[in-house]
Amino acid sequence: MSCYLVFARPGAPVPDEGSVIVADRFAPWAFAFPMLWLLFNRLWIEAAIAFALSLASTMMITNPALFWPGLALGVALSAVTAMEGRNWRAAALVRRGWQMIDLIEADDADAAFEIHALRASGGKTVVPGDRPTPPRNFPQPGRADESDAGTIGLVPVQRS
């Protein structure tokens, strides 16, 4: 299961068929083709930076003394784009005025939209601008108590 972020267009009714659903996970196509993936997702500034780094990596690879650092730069560019590219896309949507209206854990994007539509249309109304409530066991910043074991990332931590 993956987490999906649901974004609504400015002023659009919720649920809306035009909502954008962004998966919060590794993007394999971004690893294989970082610049093309960035351009396809309309991340122009990030694509320009990736182009410059890719050009630098290519120039380094042609020099035998800098082959391995150039290769490492190219692989690092692909890895960072694959791991953070979807977060960059979500940030770009927010900059364009879209609002995150739901956070859903589902098997695929279609199931995530169905869950979102069910939540939005059933008893609970979701309005753009409302922040989704985190799960009950999600740690709240500044609200730690003695019974909360806590986590580091996704790893639970026992405190003694």
Side-chain angles (χ1 to χ4, degrees), residues 59-101:
M59 290 171 54
M60 290 171 70
I61 286 174
T62 59
N63 183 349
L66 298 174
F67 177 80
W68 292 109
L71 184 63
L73 177 62
V75 171
L77 171 67
S78 292
V80 168
T81 303
M83 289 186 280
E84 294 296 326
R86 295 184 198 245
N87 292 332
W88 297 339
R89 184 174 179 217
L93 287 170
V94 170
R95 282 192 308 267
R96 293 179 190 134
W98 292 63
Q99 295 180 342
M100 188 181 95
I101 55 171

Side-chain angles (χ1 to χ4, degrees), residues 16 23 31 33 79 129 144:
D16 179 27
F31 184 79
F33 309 104

Side-chain angles (χ1 to χ4, degrees), residues 35 38 43-56 77 88:
M35 285 183 299
L38 292 167
L43 300 169
W44 312 120
I45 296 170
E46 292 87 347
I49 294 168
F51 177 75
L53 289 173
S54 179
L55 187 62
L77 171 67
W88 297 339

Side-chain angles (χ1 to χ4, degrees), residues 8 14-15 24 32 37 42 47 49 59 66 68 78 87 91 108-109 120 123 146 148 157:
V14 176
D24 189 18
W37 189 88
R42 299 177 51 195
I49 294 168
M59 290 171 54
L66 298 174
W68 292 109
S78 292
N87 292 332
D108 61 358
E146 293 78 28
D148 184 21
V157 177

